[in-house]
Amino acid sequence: MARTTSIMLAGVGGQGTILASRVLAQLLLNEGYDVKMSEVHGMAQRGGSVTTHVRYGNEVDAPTIPPGQADFILVFETMEAARVAHYLKPGGTIVANMREISSLPILIAKEEYPDDIPERLLRRGIDVRWVDAYSIADKLGNIRVENVALLGAFSTVLPFSEAAWKTALTQIVPERHIELNMAAFDKGRQLGKK
Amino acid sequence: MKSLMTGNEAIARGAWEAGVRFATAYPGTPSTEILENIAGYDEIRSQWSVNEKTALETALGGSIAGVRTLCAMKHVGLNVAADPLFSSAYMGVNAGLVIVTADDPGCHSSQNEQDNRNYAKAAKLPLIEPSNSQEAHDYIKVAFELSEAYQTPVLFRITTRLAHGKSTVAIGERVDVEPREYVRDVSRFVLMPAQARACHVALEDRLVKLEDYACSTQLNRVEWGSRKLGIICSGVAYHYVHEVFGDDASYLKLGMSYPFPKQMVRDFAAEVDRLVVVEELDPLIEEAVRAIGIEVEGKSLLPRAGELDSSIVARAFGKADDEIPVPEKVTARPPMFCAGCPHRGVFYELGKLPVVVTGDIGCYTLGSLPPFAASDTCICMGASISAGIGFQTAFSIIDPDNSRRAIAVIGDSTFYHSGMTGLLDAVYNGVGLITVILDNRITAMTGHQENPGSGYTLSGQTALEAKPEEIAKAFGIERVSTVDPYDLDQVKKALKDSLADPRPSVIVSRAPCALLKREAVRKSPYYVDQDACRKCKVCLKVACPALYVEDGMVRIDVAACVGCGICAQACRFGTIKQIEKAGEN
């Protein structure tokens, strides 16, 4: 049986992880793979942690990725990288956004935002590729495209062509926003190649 | 090319293809999107019902009257609809009736993880369980055929993974089904004792015939691999176990597990060396296998609680010897009230009072968490008011002269769903419960569904707006007030007045959900006057995602702030101020 590849996307509700997963899933469908995509929404709009599991191959069985079995993880927020790191398989790759969003215990000053996340991940033996997608989006004048900038950086670790990614983007992103999203994707991809 | 569809989208599409003409539901995660998608098909009349009981009764009426009807709800919704569910099995149907129950193993967004396959057995209804979106699409069509062929409602059980998981689906075309003639038949549609006794006998006969069907239907299939291990499974569990074993096991995959296909199971068991049932939650299949005298393993290996995954299955069979990776300890990220949420101010004030607050189901269940720590209970839909009556009554038994007060807090949609009956109970029994109705003009928790107070129907038509104040007054409640939850003085005063009144009272807190674009008003954001700020951080007690601390100073994220002003009212020194918009003043 052909191997199934597992990709997890993790972030905070409202960061656009779902749109990014939809672009990824569309790309995989276009490439002729069987795809399963699993997300749980319910409280996501209210600022909680959110994850999406995307699996592809010739024939995908399980919809979810168990701990220790993700080939790739794309993380939208610094602290969330630590929260999902145990899902990565040995030798897997994490691309993570350098972006700190405080959670409730931090917002009410009961706890402080941890400053040692990269070190802790290194101690686990995970070499995270940190990128600053927020700055890209900010420079483009719309922080909402942070997700697509991040996807651009992530696109460099997967074996698909730039054209394939852009086709999928065009299929998923509403037409009136496509130009800005393409720009964000390009900048992200350049960053990912470095 | 096949398209990616969630299970919910696939059910909606399949129902449309099956010639469904009518669909009812009350929203509830993970079932909500079934009706939202059905609403997009012009050939289907669809509606949000006020609760699951009215949804199912309406659907049953539609089916008896002659059109194919679908009814959808989350697993706990079927508890609410259990009464008509049991009657519907006795009565049977006319045109096809399929009841979708969306279970939530893992309690992703529910108060329990009950296994609604139990309802099929208890109510004596055929049970169909798909494993992926394609099967959801295909099986819903089979379910309607089955329903009409055997004149029975069909219970169609999905789980969160299937409802919200996307997988590939090849779709088909709609078949227009002619309405079936309604013929008056008191022998089955009027369940008086004499009729019910006869209906029960007929129902038992039907179950025998349905078991024959279950043994021959394509929904139940054997996939032969190694015969050293035989697995019986249903639903998403099939994919977990198939991922682990592939061809190293044989599978009896049950798409229809009730009535239990005994002969099929006997035949399968006879061919394999070791027989194991892999099922999420309760050991229903396992017990059914054991009941026909076949030795089987199941819950001795696998957990009864929580969702399965391929790793849990692999470990249960000793197929994984690596250690389970340990998660990093990271600061929690619980959900919280959005910036500008109208619930914030109410819970900020309630948290300061020496009362018991009975809570309910909705975004505002978060009012039980710090820093508000205001509400004490969350039981089930509508229970805030009825449990509040219990608290208030018990307090008056314990200390008749100076009893502690109970305040029930309930959202608009939940109030209409099943809070109204409790409120009438409070009036009837003269219990001095204070009920706060958080009317944010929409069913917010499940993603903004219309409700009887929102002014619109599922299909976007305007509707008469129910008024909670008028309902309370009609019930006989004399102290009924309406407050703007962004004005904390108003909230405080209303609570104080109600607390001073021993009679039952109602406070309606009305402001649209901050995310409800058609009604919510975004005002100029606030900022902290850093020179004047005394850094007491009292403002953080409103737990707003727009407020944060940087270098010891509280700051406000102007992009997130919607200008609700709750933090400014919490500040005792007047140092949180609104940015004056250009052109104003």
Side-chain angles (χ1 to χ4, degrees), chain B residues 354-378:
Chain B
V355 296
V356 164
V357 175
T358 49
D360 222 303
I361 308 265
C363 297
Y364 52 91
T365 313
L366 297 173
S368 63
L369 300 179
F372 307 106
S375 49
D376 294 65
T377 63
C378 166

Side-chain angles (χ1 to χ4, degrees), chain B residues 383-396:
Chain B
S384 56
I385 298 179
S386 351
I389 295 170
F391 268 98
Q392 194 61 72
T393 304
F395 287 153
S396 70

Side-chain angles (χ1 to χ4, degrees), chain B residues 130-154:
Chain B
S131 301
N132 52 51
S133 297
Q134 183 72 62
E135 287 185 357
H137 168 272
D138 298 348
Y139 289 9
I140 201 87
K141 299 203 274 188
V142 176
F144 277 99
E145 296 298 330
L146 180 70
S147 175
E148 283 182 11
Y150 290 81
Q151 286 290 289
T152 175
V154 173

Side-chain angles (χ1 to χ4, degrees), chain B residues 541-553:
Chain B
K541 288 200 162 50
V542 305
C544 178
L547 266 63
Y548 63 101
V549 181
E550 192 176 69
D551 305 325
M553 293 194 285

Side-chain angles (χ1 to χ4, degrees), chain A residues 1 12 22 25-26 29-30 34-43 45-49 55 60-64 66-69 77 79-80 82-83 86 101-109 111-112 114 120 124, chain B residues 1-2 4 29 33 108-109 132 160-161 164-168 236 238-240 242-243 246 309-311 325-336 338 363 366 370-371 444-445 515 537 540 543-545 547-548:
Chain A
M1 193 187 295
V12 178
R22 285 178 58 212
Q26 186 62 49
L29 267 188
N30 293 349
D34 184 28
V35 180
K36 279 189 179 167
M37 175 175 149
S38 195
E39 68 196 41
V40 172
H41 38 90
M43 304 289 277
Q45 261 185 327
R46 282 147 287 266
S49 302
R55 307 191 73 224
V60 179
D61 257 313
T64 54
Q69 294 189 22
E77 199 274 349
M79 203 160 74
E80 296 311 301
R83 201 182 311 284
H86 65 290
I101 300 176
S102 296
S103 65
L104 182 72
I106 301 163
L107 288 168
I108 61 175
E111 292 183 41
E112 291 201 1
R120 281 163 67 180
R124 284 184 86 101
Chain B
M1 191 170 71
K2 290 180 176 183
L4 269 186
T29 312
E33 300 83 3
H108 295 287
S109 47
N132 52 51
T160 299
R161 276 306 151 201
H164 286 173
K166 287 190 176 186
S167 55
T168 51
V236 181
Y238 163 77
H239 285 296
Y240 298 132
H242 193 263
E243 170 131 342
D309 66 25
S310 54
S311 172
V326 182
E328 285 285 321
K329 285 198 175 68
V330 197
T331 302
R333 192 182 296 279
M336 58 193 296
C338 304
C363 297
L366 297 173
M445 175 76 183
L515 304 178
K537 300 200 172 86
L540 298 182
C544 178
L547 266 63
Y548 63 101

Side-chain angles (χ1 to χ4, degrees), chain A:
Chain A
M1 193 187 295
R3 215 181 73 76
T4 296
T5 302
S6 298
I7 303 174
M8 178 180 275
L9 294 92
V12 178
Q15 276 197 294
T17 54
I18 291 181
L19 180 112
S21 357
R22 285 178 58 212
V23 173
L24 172 62
Q26 186 62 49
L27 165 99
L28 297 167
L29 267 188
N30 293 349
E31 295 289 313
Y33 289 107
D34 184 28
V35 180
K36 279 189 179 167
M37 175 175 149
S38 195
E39 68 196 41
V40 172
H41 38 90
M43 304 289 277
Q45 261 185 327
R46 282 147 287 266
S49 302
V50 289
T51 59
T52 306
H53 299 211
V54 178
R55 307 191 73 224
Y56 70 97
N58 287 343
E59 200 181 328
V60 179
D61 257 313
T64 54
I65 308 167
Q69 294 189 22
D71 297 275
F72 302 95
I73 306 182
L74 176 60
V75 189
F76 288 61
E77 199 274 349
T78 305
M79 203 160 74
E80 296 311 301
R83 201 182 311 284
V84 298
H86 65 290
Y87 277 91
L88 194 70
K89 68 162 55 165
T93 302
I94 294 184
V95 174
N97 193 16
M98 284 188 279
R99 174 80 194 284
E100 296 183 358
I101 300 176
S102 296
S103 65
L104 182 72
I106 301 163
L107 288 168
I108 61 175
K110 295 281 180 216
E111 292 183 41
E112 291 201 1
Y113 197 98
D115 57 4
D116 61 344
I117 299 284
E119 291 75 23
R120 281 163 67 180
L121 294 176
L122 269 177
R123 279 202 296 277
R124 284 184 86 101
I126 303 171
D127 186 12
V128 178
R129 298 192 193 190
W130 293 99
V131 294
D132 182 1
Y134 183 84
S135 292
I136 293 175
D138 197 30
K139 276 180 202 151
L140 288 171
N142 190 337
I143 54 168
R144 295 185 66 86
V145 295
E146 182 184 16
N147 58 346
V148 172
L150 188 61
L151 197 62
F154 184 61
S155 71
T156 60
V157 304
L158 293 180
F160 305 108
S161 72
E162 185 173 334
W165 280 100
K166 290 194 165 170
T167 303
L169 262 179
T170 316
Q171 287 166 278
I172 299 296
V173 174
E175 206 180 327
R176 63 187 187 279
H177 300 310
I178 193 67
E179 205 173 319
L180 182 65
N181 278 278
M182 282 294 183
F185 184 85
D186 282 338
K187 295 277 183 200
R189 195 166 162 91
Q190 283 164 20
L191 195 64
K193 280 179 178 163
K194 282 179 189 163

Side-chain angles (χ1 to χ4, degrees), chain B residues 402-415:
Chain B
N402 190 24
S403 60
R404 200 173 167 193
R405 293 299 291 271
I407 300 181
V409 180
I410 187 165
D412 48 339
S413 192
T414 310
F415 177 68

